[in-house]
Amino acid sequence: MSNPEHLAKLKEGVEAWNEWRNSNPSIKSDLSEADLSDAKLIGADFHEANLISANLISASLRKVDLQKAQLQDASLQGADLSGANLGYANLLDANLLEANLDHACLVAACVARANLSRANLVEANFTHADLRGANLSGANLDEANLDHACLVAAYLQKANLRGASVAGANLVKSIVRGANLADTNFVEADLSEANLSEAVLVRTNLERSVLTACSVYGISVWDVRLDGSIQSNLVITPPHDSVIQVDNLEVAQFVYLLLNNAKIRHVIDTITSKVVLILGRFTPERKVVLDAIREELRKHDYLPVLFDFEKPSSQTTVETVSTLAHMARFVIADLTDAKSILQELQAIVPDSPSVVVRPLLLASQEEPGMFDFIRRYPWVLDTHRYTDQKMLLEELGEVVIAAAEAKAKELRQKSEALNKSSARL
């Protein structure tokens, strides 16, 4: 029970209460079990106060000082604690359902097993706070600071953590199902055995984090940062299904789609059997060459993919071209006015014995000097020279494409024979 004198003093108003506290710093205010529902207590000094089991439902507590206050089992549903200071406060088992803690400070506070469901926690500071087993489902933690917080077994289903920082936090066995984790910072966080099913991870920073035995069924992953992270035993299947695990977060959603969607598998088969990568520098005057190559490939049921080297190449360009080449049936590389292609061919050819390259060159031009290095590989066909566009168009199907297709089939047959021989061993 609360101290009657202390409760009477508080009812005189916030100004009188704060003055009394300043005049009596040694007195520990006792408002335990007090009924302060709907009370207007803006700016009140409750530091180190005993508010255990107090009723503060819908109370106005903006900018209140609750540092080191005892709020175990307190009822704070719908209370306005915006800008309040709850640093080192004890909120064990407190009920803060739909409370407003916008910009509140809860540094090193104990919020274990507290109910913060649907609470407004925008830019709240939970640094080093203890949130073990806390219920934060549906809470708005937009740009909140949870660095080094303990969130073991915390419940964050459908919570909004967009732009929040959870660096170095412990989220072992936490439930983050369906949460918005866009732009969230999880650097060095431990998410072992966390349930990330149906969560949205867009530009999420997971560098040096631990992602072991997480459930990632239905996850959406785009542009995440995973350098130095530990990824293993990620479960991509829903509960009650046979468990399938992968060791890479970025491929988890792709693997699940591949296993469970016949259309996706058909697309993959189409890509690897029909895509032809076209490399060249196709100026407006030579666009007819590009159009002719594309049209001829389409007639043969191929899917042309163009990469135009009009702009200088970069490391990103090299990586993109290399990725496309490994997906292609073969590559047509027009060297005419496009010396920059050599850098990309040097990245593709040496390590891609299954990718046939068919070079083209206007007869009036010389092969680039470094092309000797590329030409020596057996999967690079002789350069097809053409005197003009008309000649190229006439020979494109029977000479250029047919030769590339024949070589692609030859390499595939050799690869299949080698695989069979290895299997017998």
Side-chain angles (χ1 to χ4, degrees), residues 138-166:
N140 186 0
L141 287 145
D142 193 289
E143 297 190 7
N145 187 345
L146 293 118
D147 289 348
H148 305 288
C150 180
L151 289 145
V152 173
Y155 199 70
L156 289 148
Q157 179 161 320
K158 296 184 178 180
N160 175 29
L161 286 96
R162 188 181 186 91
S165 183
V166 201

Side-chain angles (χ1 to χ4, degrees), residues 89 91-92 96 106 109-114 116 126 129-132 134:
L91 290 138
L92 179 70
L96 292 121
L106 293 103
C110 175
V111 202
R113 301 197 307 270
L116 289 151
F126 285 93
D130 181 358
L131 288 147
R132 284 175 293 180

Side-chain angles (χ1 to χ4, degrees), residues 90-232:
N90 190 341
L91 290 138
L92 179 70
D93 293 316
N95 190 347
L96 292 121
L97 175 70
E98 297 181 348
N100 181 14
L101 288 104
D102 180 19
H103 289 82
C105 174
L106 293 103
V107 172
C110 175
V111 202
R113 301 197 307 270
N115 182 6
L116 289 151
S117 181
R118 300 193 300 279
N120 178 12
L121 305 170
V122 173
E123 294 190 47
N125 188 350
F126 285 93
T127 305
H128 292 286
D130 181 358
L131 288 147
R132 284 175 293 180
N135 182 359
L136 293 134
S137 61
N140 186 0
L141 287 145
D142 193 289
E143 297 190 7
N145 187 345
L146 293 118
D147 289 348
H148 305 288
C150 180
L151 289 145
V152 173
Y155 199 70
L156 289 148
Q157 179 161 320
K158 296 184 178 180
N160 175 29
L161 286 96
R162 188 181 186 91
S165 183
V166 201
N170 186 348
L171 292 104
V172 173
K173 295 185 177 180
S174 59
I175 309 297
V176 199
R177 185 185 182 94
N180 181 0
L181 306 178
D183 297 303
T184 307
N185 177 18
F186 283 104
V187 171
E188 296 183 352
D190 189 349
L191 290 129
S192 301
E193 300 181 63
N195 185 344
L196 296 166
S197 299
E198 302 174 30
V200 176
L201 284 76
V202 180
R203 298 178 302 275
T204 307
N205 190 346
L206 288 155
E207 293 177 346
R208 301 187 301 283
S209 63
V210 180
L211 294 160
T212 303
C214 294
S215 176
V216 296
Y217 168 71
I219 200 168
S220 178
V221 181
W222 300 94
D223 295 327
V224 296
R225 294 163 61 181
L226 289 158
D227 292 346
S229 63
I230 299 172
Q231 304 175 68
S232 62

Side-chain angles (χ1 to χ4, degrees), residues 286 289 293 334 360 384 386-397 400:
R286 300 189 65 248
V289 176
I293 294 173
D334 193 334
L360 306 178
H384 176 73
Y386 57 97
T387 56
D388 53 33
Q389 293 173 358
K390 181 181 178 182
M391 177 182 174
L392 176 61
L393 300 186
E394 290 174 350
E395 298 179 341
L396 197 57
V400 177

Side-chain angles (χ1 to χ4, degrees), residues 227-242:
D227 292 346
S229 63
I230 299 172
Q231 304 175 68
S232 62
N233 304 330
L234 303 177
V235 180
I236 65 173
T237 43
H240 313 302
D241 277 17
S242 298

